[in-house]
């Protein structure tokens, strides 16, 4: 640890970084050079967000690499969910939310003037902290995104349903009761169903907000395997409170604090050799 | 070590029930914080008891009404004879002079009876019928007025139910066709009455009344006749069933106090279904806008409060509005444009089943809106977010996720509206319910549905029987049978709606009764 501290560049050794953030100062994030080598599919540019008068995100900048899993970590209330929900504009549904700055999905502006939010959301999938299956059959749940998009062809829907359920490791458990109500599944099965629903439409980015927080260890490891399997094919942005999980599943990790990104870089480096002492303290559980 | 020691924190009710535990002190209920259980449970019990009392009263009265009782022949001291069925018995304070005017023996008996019950004696209300002869349908007969041996059951006393003039009581002597007797003696006439097909419609039944008078009853006017004192249980049951059958399927007669209520059943069902079909779409749409589209703020709060207060407007006011707006304004305009040739006789410009349904739809709108709004509010936000995150539009989210999930609640609202609307009377009196409707609002004549027609309604029928009937004593029992019928219809409609709801809501879940 002492060695790591020695290797930190001088500009990262600001002693009062977190205090300054807490005081409302905007401190530029420390971004590892490896990030620049990736091709980003989602770029977040100086994004700010207010809930009414309360500012929650401060000049957040993040380039999410294509085909990689990126984890968002940080203490509770630091704005991880808010940032995630900002990506598919779920915050539009909340009264009194104001934003500045922009994001781009594969180059297309997300917060621009004439953006079709519906069309935009169809290009992303989202898995929520609490599973939220719809009051319909398992099959209809999985193919929901396609159905609202006007897909009627039964064989297309069936094959998509099967592929998505296999992808979320649920197929074996539900293949014989696809017509049953999804509300009859167990909590863990429901969450995997929601993942299947999110990946059914082959989204460009998969947003996951603590997808395992309500799952038992077995189901958690299945979901983690699933995320690992999705890597390469899908881009995943995942919020997690579980450091082991972040280190297991993610390629890149961003550490957030009070609405700002503090450090962003490859997971392996962030977890073994972070540039900031604050990051290390948080990851090792010394604060947060 | 007893079970008590091993299970110090055993859950409350179960522990008491299983006898393994040592008995607890008497105040255990209080010490375990259960007075609220008793208080809340008590509230439920009181409510249920009152409802049960009301329902069982109505059902008891409703069920016994059609059961044929015996026919008594009561002779009083002054020689008058009352032949008929006892409909009511009560104890009352007699006029002392009337008691004193009896013979010494009878006075002594009456005084003895009075002494045993605060000076009260028993009297019975006898349905004597024979209105065209006596000018009365009912007569009170005091027990002390009865002559010695003055109460007999005439073996061949008959009850005749007729198309008009009410019931007739008497012993049939002969069946006469023209000048010749077809049958003589009560037994022969009884056989003939049982098998009406063999009798000529022109025939008359010659009947001797209790006080010895003779009367001729045309056979064609007799609806039902039976020897009340001669019937076994099976025979009585036959009369009972036949009366129910008539009640449910026939048209009313005798100013509604006899006969059936079929047109009223029909009118009630059609009006209620029409009302439901009108109110549910509008109520659901209004609630959807309020809850899903409108920005919540002071304006929506005001609208919500207003809707809730609409439920406090007396229903008669809705009737007045319905009459003024629907019948006179809208209906009047329709008449002026489409039915000008029939004016000044109104077609749509007066009460009718459509206007009644619309008025009641307005009346029950708050019920549906409030229930639907509650059901919509109970749909978790996470479900809506899940749908939006899939790229659904607001309407797709409502149609595919929110409404299916809220459907049981919406149906509950519809059921409540139905029950409320089916029992409403006051506004209907203004917008189309009538004492006697010549034609049904839906029939086999083109165009089959006649929304402009006035109709009969069970609720109004009850009011009419109970308070508007000339022969109110005879109509009173019908009040209960009709009430029972109305309750049964509401129950049936509700059961149908609940069945429908369970079929629709199979994919979803949510609140259930
Ligand atoms: N709908 C809202 N209205 C007002 N403030 C909100 C709302 N949602 C979140 N906040 C505030 O925004 C801040 C960030 O919340 P957010 O949910 O993004 O945190 P988080 O990092 O996801 O926390 P956690 O790890 O506990 O989920 C918090 O201070 C929270 O109180
Ligand atoms: Mg969160």
């Amino acid at each position: 640890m002492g060695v790591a501290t020695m290797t930190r560049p001088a500009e990262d050794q600001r002693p009062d970084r977190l205090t300054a953030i807490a005081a409302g100062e905007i401190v530029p994030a420390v971004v590892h050079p490896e990030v620049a080598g990736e091709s980003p599919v989602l770029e977040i540019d100086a994004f700010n967000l207010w809930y009414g008068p309360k500012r929650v995100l401060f000049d957040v900048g993040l380039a999410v690499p294509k085909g990689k899993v990126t984890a968002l970590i940080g203490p509770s209330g630091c704005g991880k969910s808010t940032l995630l929900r900002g990506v598919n504009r779920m915050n539009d549904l909340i009264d009194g939310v104001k934003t500045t700055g922009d994001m781009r999905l594969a180059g297309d502006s997300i917060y621009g003037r004439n953006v079709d939010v519906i069309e935009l959301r169809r290009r992303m999938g989202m898995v929520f902290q609490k599973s939220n299956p719809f009051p319909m059959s398992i099959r209809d749940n999985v193919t929901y995104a396609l159905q609202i998009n006007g897909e009627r062809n039964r064989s297309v829907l069936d094959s998509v349903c099967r592929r998505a359920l296999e992808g979320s490791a649920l197929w074996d458990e539900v293949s014989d009761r696809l017509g049953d109500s999804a509300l009859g599944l167990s909590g863990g099965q429901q969450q995997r169903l929601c993942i299947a629903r999110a990946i059914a439409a082959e989204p460009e980015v998969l947003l996951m907000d603590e997808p395992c927080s309500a799952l038992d260890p077995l189901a958690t490891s299945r979901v983690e395997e699933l995320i690992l399997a999705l890597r390469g094919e899908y881009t995943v942005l995942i919020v997690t409170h579980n450091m082991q999980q972040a280190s297991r599943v993610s390629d890149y990790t961003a550490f957030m604090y009070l609405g700002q990104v503090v450090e962003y870089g490859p997971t392996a480096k962030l977890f073994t050799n972070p540039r900031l002492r604050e990051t290390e303290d948080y990851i090792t559980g010394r604060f947060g | 070590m007893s079970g008590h020691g091993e299970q110090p924190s055993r859950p409350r009710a179960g522990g008491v029930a299983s006898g393994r535990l040592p008995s607890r002190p008497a105040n255990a209920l209080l010490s375990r914080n259960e007075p609220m259980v008793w208080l809340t449970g008590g509230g439920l019990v009181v409510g249920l008891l009152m409802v049960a009392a009301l329902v069982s009263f109505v059902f008891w009265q409703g069920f016994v009404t059609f059961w044929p009782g015996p026919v008594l022949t009561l002779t009083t001291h002054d020689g008058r004879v009352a032949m008929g069925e006892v409909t009511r018995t009560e104890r009352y304070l007699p006029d002392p002079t009337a008691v004193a005017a009896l013979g010494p023996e009878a006075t002594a008996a009456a005084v003895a009876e009075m002494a045993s019950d605060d000076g009260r004696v028993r009297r019975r209300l006898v349905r004597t019928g024979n209105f065209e002869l006596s000018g009365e349908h009912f007569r009170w007969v005091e027990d002390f007025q009865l002559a010695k041996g003055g109460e007999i059951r005439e073996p061949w006393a008959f009850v005749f139910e007729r198309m008009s003039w009410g019931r007739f009581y008497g012993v049939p002597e002969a069946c006469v066709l023209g000048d010749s007797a077809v049958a003589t003696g009560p037994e022969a006439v009884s056989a003939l009455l049982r098998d009406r097909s063999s009798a000529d419609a022109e025939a008359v039944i010659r009947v001797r009344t209790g006080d010895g008078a003779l009367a001729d009853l045309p056979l064609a006017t007799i609806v039902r006749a039976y020897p009340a004192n001669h019937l076994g249980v099976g025979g009585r049951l036959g009369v009972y069933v036949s009366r129910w059958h008539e009640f449910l399927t026939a048209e009313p007669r005798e100013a509604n106090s006899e006969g059936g209520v079929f047109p009223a059943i029909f009118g009630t069902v059609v009006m209620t279904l029409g009302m439901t079909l009108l109110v549910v779409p509008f109520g659901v749409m209004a609630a959807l806008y309020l809850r899903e589209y409108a920005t919540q703020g002071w304006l929506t709060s005001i609208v919500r409060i207003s809707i809730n207060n609409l439920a406090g407007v007396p229903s008669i006011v809705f009737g007045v509005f319905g009459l003024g707006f629907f019948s006179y304004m809208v209906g009047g305009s329709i008449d002026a444009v489409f039915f000008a040739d029939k004016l000044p006789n109104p077609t749509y410009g007066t009460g009718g089943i459509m206007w009644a349904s619309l008025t009641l739809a307005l009346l029950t709108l708050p019920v549906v809106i409030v229930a639907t709004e509650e059901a919509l509010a109970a749909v978790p936000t996470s479900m809506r977010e899940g749908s939006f995150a899939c790229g659904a539009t607001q309407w797709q989210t409502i149609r595919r996720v929110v409404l299916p999930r809220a459907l049981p609640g919406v149906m509950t609202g519809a059921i409540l509206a139905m029950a409320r609307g089916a029992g409403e009377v006051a506004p209907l009196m203004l917008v189309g319910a009538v004492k006697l409707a010549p034609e049904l609002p839906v029939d086999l004549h083109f165009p089959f549905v006649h929304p402009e027609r006035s109709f009969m309604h069970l609720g109004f029928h009850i009011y009419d029987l109970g308070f508007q009937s000339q022969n109110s004593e005879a109509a009173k029992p019908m009040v209960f049978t009709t009430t029972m019928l109305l309750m049964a219809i509401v129950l049936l409609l509700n059961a149908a709606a609940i069945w429908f709801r369970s079929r629709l809501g199979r994919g979803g879940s949510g609140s259930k009764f």
Side-chain angles (χ1 to χ4, degrees):
Chain A
M1 206 185 306
V3 182
T5 316
M6 294 304 284
T7 59
R8 282 179 185 135
E11 79 268 20
D12 295 348
Q13 305 234 342
R14 216 180 133 169
D16 57 342
R17 187 179 290 268
L18 298 189
T19 327
I21 290 176
E25 199 181 315
I26 293 177
V27 181
V30 172
V31 181
H32 292 236
E34 289 86 342
V35 176
E38 297 279 354
S39 66
V41 65
L42 174 69
E43 294 158 282
I44 302 173
D45 271 348
F47 189 70
N48 296 286
L49 187 142
W50 288 261
Y51 285 120
K54 188 175 160 207
R55 189 170 177 186
V56 179
L57 295 179
F58 298 80
D59 267 351
V60 173
L62 209 64
V64 180
K66 191 178 173 78
K68 296 279 157 56
V69 178
T70 303
L72 284 175
I73 61 169
S76 183
C78 70
K80 305 180 295 294
S81 301
T82 304
L83 180 63
L84 204 69
R85 292 164 56 89
V87 174
N88 64 351
R89 292 190 58 171
M90 285 314 264
N91 288 322
D92 289 10
L93 305 176
I94 300 170
D95 287 339
V97 168
K98 204 183 83 194
T99 62
T100 64
D102 198 4
M103 307 188 184
R104 278 185 307 282
L105 178 67
D108 303 331
S109 170
I110 293 176
Y111 281 86
R113 273 190 177 280
N114 299 315
V115 172
D116 181 354
V117 181
I118 303 296
E119 186 53 42
L120 187 82
R121 289 193 186 128
R122 289 195 177 147
R123 296 167 61 185
M124 307 188 215
M126 189 166 199
V127 180
F128 296 79
Q129 182 169 358
K130 239 183 104 240
S131 63
N132 52 358
F134 301 143
M136 49 182 85
S137 70
I138 293 173
R139 183 187 289 111
D140 286 344
N141 257 283
V142 177
T143 56
Y144 184 77
L146 278 84
Q147 288 191 32
I148 57 172
N149 217 348
E151 179 62 64
R152 290 267 157 69
N153 190 328
R154 188 61 191 250
S155 62
V156 171
L157 292 178
D158 280 348
S159 72
V160 166
C161 176
R162 173 162 192 164
R163 197 159 31 79
L165 283 173
E166 280 171 347
S168 67
L170 191 61
W171 175 255
D172 295 338
E173 285 157 73
V174 300
S175 59
D176 54 341
R177 50 175 175 142
L178 293 175
D180 290 5
S181 168
L183 304 179
L185 296 174
S186 79
Q189 289 173 329
Q190 289 189 359
Q191 186 65 314
R192 276 179 281 149
L193 180 74
C194 292
I195 294 174
R197 189 174 71 199
I199 60 176
E202 307 195 344
E204 291 167 44
V205 178
L206 186 59
L207 308 168
M208 302 178 114
D209 192 352
E210 298 180 50
C212 303
S213 62
L215 299 187
D216 69 86
L218 195 72
T220 299
S221 68
R222 298 192 76 156
V223 172
E224 287 181 9
E225 281 166 28
L226 169 67
I227 294 169
L228 287 172
L230 295 177
R231 172 161 49 189
E233 199 177 342
Y234 294 93
T235 306
V236 180
L237 187 58
I238 180 173
V239 172
T240 177
H241 273 291
N242 183 329
M243 294 307 125
Q244 282 79 39
Q245 184 170 68
S247 71
R248 277 194 300 265
V249 302
S250 69
D251 304 298
Y252 288 88
T253 298
F255 169 49
M256 288 182 69
Y257 184 71
L258 291 184
Q260 303 194 21
V261 175
V262 180
E263 183 170 356
Y264 178 37
T267 303
K269 269 183 75 186
L270 221 72
F271 275 72
T272 56
N273 188 17
R275 271 169 58 181
L276 297 181
R277 193 180 29 90
E278 293 84 351
T279 311
E280 183 182 314
D281 286 350
Y282 179 74
I283 287 171
T284 54
R286 248 173 285 166
F287 103 95
Chain B
M1 188 98 165
S2 72
H4 194 157
E6 289 157 16
Q7 300 161 321
S9 62
R10 211 184 149 88
R12 27 190 196 106
V16 181
S18 78
R20 290 194 299 119
L21 290 176
S23 64
R24 291 171 189 275
N27 65 355
L29 282 174
L30 288 173
S31 70
R32 277 181 298 145
N33 196 17
E34 292 203 289
M36 288 318 286
V37 174
W38 286 92
L39 195 69
T40 49
L44 178 68
V45 167
V46 169
L48 283 182
L49 276 181
M50 294 203 294
V51 172
L54 173 75
V55 171
S56 47
F57 175 69
V58 167
F59 270 60
W60 170 247
Q61 294 280 344
F63 273 122
V64 299
T65 297
F66 290 147
W67 187 255
V71 172
L72 301 185
T73 310
L74 303 173
T75 314
T76 50
H77 286 295
D78 55 10
R80 290 179 66 195
V81 179
M83 183 194 257
E85 294 163 284
V86 174
T87 57
R88 195 137 48 95
T89 303
E90 67 175 32
R91 304 191 74 84
Y92 85 120
L93 288 171
D95 181 3
T97 55
V99 178
L102 303 165
E105 205 178 317
T107 307
V111 168
E113 190 191 346
M114 284 163 68
S116 69
D117 185 19
D118 281 343
R120 290 171 194 278
V121 291
R122 191 173 74 140
R123 64 173 180 177
R124 285 175 285 183
L125 186 63
V126 182
R127 181 172 193 174
T128 52
N130 307 10
F131 187 75
E132 66 268 47
L133 301 180
S134 63
E136 61 182 8
H137 288 289
F138 289 85
R139 218 175 102 195
W140 282 107
V141 178
E142 296 81 2
D143 276 8
F144 65 81
Q145 293 277 18
L146 283 179
K148 212 171 164 71
E151 176 173 338
I152 53 164
R153 293 188 181 191
E154 186 72 52
W156 283 106
F158 257 71
V159 179
F160 296 93
E161 292 173 26
R162 303 179 291 172
M163 303 292 283
S164 52
W165 294 104
R167 293 188 185 175
F168 199 93
Y169 297 92
V171 180
E173 300 216 315
C175 178
V176 183
L177 183 60
D179 284 337
S180 58
V182 182
T184 36
E187 275 173 77
V189 176
S190 176
L192 185 135
L193 281 169
R194 218 175 300 130
D195 185 16
R196 299 274 290 272
S197 57
S198 65
D200 197 305
E202 303 279 282
V204 294
I205 308 285
R206 188 152 294 158
V207 182
R208 186 168 296 281
T209 63
D211 41 15
L214 271 180
D216 282 350
L217 310 178
L219 193 58
T221 66
I222 297 174
V223 175
R224 186 181 294 107
Y226 58 93
N229 298 336
H230 229 270
L231 288 178
V233 176
R236 283 171 200 275
L237 203 64
V239 173
Y240 184 72
V241 169
S242 125
R243 278 181 175 168
W244 266 109
H245 183 256
E246 184 194 7
F247 182 66
L248 294 178
T249 57
E251 306 248 329
R253 54 191 159 80
E254 305 245 17
N256 291 354
S257 65
E258 297 275 349
V261 291
F262 178 73
I265 298 175
F266 192 80
T268 307
V269 171
V270 170
M271 195 278 299
T272 308
L273 289 182
M275 174 204 76
T276 312
L277 289 183
L278 287 168
V279 73
V280 169
F282 280 105
V284 169
M285 285 195 289
L288 273 179
Y289 182 79
L290 263 183
R291 182 58 65 179
E292 301 290 325
Y293 288 106
T295 312
Q296 305 299 313
W298 59 271
L299 203 63
T300 49
S301 297
I302 288 178
V303 171
R304 238 174 236 131
I305 292 169
S306 312
I307 289 171
N308 278 313
N309 278 315
L310 212 58
V313 175
S315 53
I316 189 78
V317 175
F318 283 95
V320 174
F321 174 80
L323 182 70
F325 181 71
F326 292 132
S327 297
Y328 291 165
M329 260 182 72
V330 182
S333 313
I334 293 176
D335 279 1
V337 176
F338 296 103
F339 301 95
D341 50 328
K342 290 200 188 146
L343 286 173
N345 287 338
T347 308
Y348 278 93
T350 178
I353 194 157
M354 182 166 75
W355 302 141
S357 294
L358 270 169
T359 305
L360 285 199
L362 205 62
L363 177 84
T364 50
L365 195 62
V367 179
V368 176
I369 293 182
V370 169
T372 307
E373 265 218 87
E374 264 166 30
L376 293 176
V379 177
T381 322
S382 66
M383 271 196 192
R384 293 192 181 84
E385 289 188 337
S387 171
F388 284 125
C390 286
T393 61
Q394 176 122 32
W395 173 243
Q396 284 171 327
T397 302
I398 291 173
R399 224 274 312 91
R400 288 166 180 265
V401 175
V402 176
L403 269 187
R405 170 68 198 241
L407 198 65
V410 176
M411 291 297 286
T412 305
I415 290 166
L416 288 176
M418 232 181 203
R420 170 121 162 73
E424 199 59 66
V425 178
L428 295 181
M429 302 203 287
L430 301 182
V431 290
V434 291
K435 188 181 164 72
L436 199 66
E439 290 156 313
L440 296 176
V442 178
D443 60 20
L444 296 175
H445 302 290
F446 186 81
F448 309 120
V449 179
H450 309 274
E452 81 286 0
R453 280 190 188 163
S454 55
F455 63 104
M456 289 178 72
H457 184 271
L458 283 170
F460 182 69
H461 198 78
I462 292 169
Y463 168 76
D464 181 57
L465 284 173
F467 301 100
Q468 306 283 290
S469 184
Q470 272 145 26
N471 186 5
S472 69
E473 196 65 50
K476 220 176 268 173
M478 297 281 279
V479 168
F480 294 104
T481 36
T482 313
T483 308
M484 198 169 93
L485 192 64
L486 182 56
M487 286 167 69
I489 285 177
V490 172
L491 197 73
L492 236 116
L493 288 175
N494 281 357
I498 288 169
W499 174 80
F500 189 58
R501 177 176 70 181
S502 70
R503 267 183 58 99
L504 278 180
R506 246 185 279 165
S509 80
S511 62
K512 290 253 146 66
F513 273 153

